[in-house]
Amino acid sequence: MKRDALFDNAKVILIFLVVFGHMIQPFTDGSKPMYTLYMWIYTFHMPAFILLAGFFAKGAGNKGYIAKLAKKLLFPYLMFQTIYTGYFFFIGKEGWASGLFYPHWSLWFLVSMFCWHLLLQLFSRIPPITGMAITIAIGILVGYFDTIGHAYSLSRTFVFFPFFLAGYWLTKENIAKWRTIPVKIASIAVMGIVAGLLFFLPEINSGWLLGSKSYEVLELADAGGLIRLSIYVLAGLMIVNVIAWMPRREMRITNLGQRTLYVYLLHGFFIQFFRQIDAFKVDNIMDVVGLAVLSMLIVLLLSSKPALTVAKPFIEGKLPLLRKRQQTS
């Protein structure tokens, strides 16, 4: 599929929010503004990222598709599951001895992404509305089973699959309708209302937005299904609102949209180290701005050519320097 600046810009902005969200998470306890900012970001940033991943999965079913995905997703998962285990041990982080199929921190995304593509082999043959209804029903039902959780990234796979499937069925024409002036105006009101509700209503467990825990663990087993359905609706609205405002023109950061996997896999080395040594504190708005600037610098650093050169063997199983020498010899 020909690259479109809109989608690359969206991926850069969303990966920045992933890093920034992880950066501010330790400061949400006891701070209503930080809690509101964190939860507001989490209402849409991963669902939107997953929706875009589904949008670019149009080639599902092509010859060799799954084999290529296994190399692209499972190879780096195995590499970084091992690397992060050693790194967490080195910095003294608790829970470093995670099993091979109990994904460290953000690595769940790779396992779930592979599973979403597998599920797509079936659901791409089902009419869109029927398929979406089934996936939402499954996403709601899995919350009632304590045995479906973080292991193998099973819970998140089922909970977030509706966004991936929705992205698969979306067209550029659909997305263009989200970017009209009336939608943009309405989106400002909706995003403001969501922020206001998060600030003034009683705090809820962030686990509801992470999708990795059962309703029993979240201590609202009876109302769990209704709450998850509400979160689906909220996330859907927020995705439309946010994509409505994504810049369409080519910018200096646009090409970084091709490198977001590197940022996603590597930024944990910074975040976990900062958390382990209590590197920062937040006392005022300028501290938050400083964390945002640092998050953007991390994105730029991990998107740079030197970072790609060093990390490429671990992420793509390629040795770019060696290949270049072979081509010139």
Side-chain angles (χ1 to χ4, degrees):
M1 183 180 291
K2 184 179 178 181
R3 301 203 73 89
D4 187 318
L6 169 65
F7 299 109
D8 279 334
N9 290 336
K11 289 170 69 177
V12 175
I13 293 169
L14 289 171
I15 198 63
F16 160 74
L17 291 175
V18 169
V19 178
F20 183 55
H22 286 153
M23 188 77 78
I24 67 174
Q25 189 276 331
F27 310 107
T28 58
D29 289 340
S31 172
K32 195 68 173 182
M34 293 302 290
Y35 163 85
T36 301
L37 177 60
Y38 175 80
M39 294 291 284
W40 186 84
I41 291 172
Y42 269 73
T43 59
F44 69 86
H45 79 322
M46 284 310 297
F49 220 117
I50 294 164
L51 180 132
L52 291 180
F55 182 83
F56 286 101
K58 310 295 189 188
N62 291 349
K63 184 178 179 180
Y65 187 77
I66 297 300
K68 291 178 182 178
L69 277 172
K71 180 180 179 181
K72 182 179 179 180
L73 299 172
L74 298 186
F75 172 78
Y77 170 76
L78 294 173
M79 291 293 292
F80 278 86
Q81 183 73 357
T82 303
I83 293 170
Y84 270 116
T85 297
Y87 180 70
F88 289 165
F89 172 77
F90 177 75
I91 65 175
K93 177 179 170 61
E94 294 182 4
W96 62 269
S98 177
L100 183 63
F101 299 107
Y102 197 87
H104 276 307
W105 200 45
S106 59
L107 297 184
W108 67 268
F109 184 72
L110 297 179
V111 179
S112 289
M113 178 75 81
F114 182 71
C115 294
W116 293 329
H117 281 89
L118 291 180
L119 289 169
L120 198 57
Q121 306 305 303
L122 169 63
F123 280 89
S124 62
R125 294 173 170 83
I126 300 175
I129 295 178
T130 303
M132 286 299 303
I134 293 172
T135 60
I136 290 172
I138 293 173
I140 292 172
L141 286 173
V142 296
Y144 291 103
F145 297 90
D146 290 337
T147 53
I148 301 178
H150 190 73
Y152 301 95
S153 193
L154 276 179
S155 180
R156 281 171 165 148
T157 295
F158 292 120
V159 171
F160 288 116
F161 183 55
F163 300 107
F164 188 84
L165 185 61
Y168 175 78
W169 287 118
L170 274 178
T171 65
K172 288 187 177 182
E173 291 71 25
N174 296 142
I175 294 175
K177 294 177 181 178
W178 300 353
R179 299 176 54 77
T180 60
I181 297 300
V183 174
K184 287 185 176 183
I185 293 173
S187 69
I188 295 174
V190 172
M191 290 189 288
I193 291 171
V194 171
L197 290 174
L198 288 170
F199 185 83
F200 290 107
L201 292 178
E203 294 186 8
I204 65 170
N205 191 320
S206 61
W208 287 103
L209 301 180
L210 301 180
S212 61
K213 298 176 181 178
S214 69
Y215 305 145
E216 187 71 32
V217 173
L218 294 169
E219 300 180 346
L220 280 172
D222 293 337
L226 183 59
I227 294 173
R228 179 155 291 168
L229 179 60
S230 301
I231 290 172
Y232 277 141
V233 174
L234 173 62
L237 284 173
M238 290 295 286
I239 289 172
V240 172
N241 295 334
V242 170
I243 291 183
W245 285 97
M246 290 294 175
R248 181 114 206 194
R249 62 184 178 85
E250 290 272 354
M251 302 187 296
R252 290 186 178 182
I253 64 168
T254 299
N255 68 313
L256 302 185
Q258 305 175 41
R259 308 169 186 175
T260 52
L261 180 61
Y262 282 77
V263 180
Y264 187 84
L265 291 175
L266 297 172
H267 80 283
F269 294 108
F270 290 92
I271 301 297
Q272 294 295 343
F273 179 72
F274 293 153
R275 291 183 182 182
Q276 197 66 20
I277 65 172
D278 291 325
F280 306 110
K281 62 179 181 178
V282 174
D283 294 324
N284 53 60
I285 186 63
M286 292 310 299
D287 291 334
V288 180
V289 172
L291 292 178
V293 171
L294 179 58
S295 298
M296 193 66 229
L297 291 175
I298 290 174
V299 171
L300 295 175
L301 173 64
L302 298 181
S303 302
S304 66
K305 289 184 178 179
L308 267 63
T309 300
V310 172
K312 200 165 193 174
F314 305 99
I315 295 177
E316 299 185 37
K318 299 177 181 178
L319 295 171
L321 293 178
L322 180 60
R323 290 182 63 189
K324 185 179 291 187
R325 289 174 183 172
Q326 289 175 341
Q327 291 171 358
T328 56
S329 62

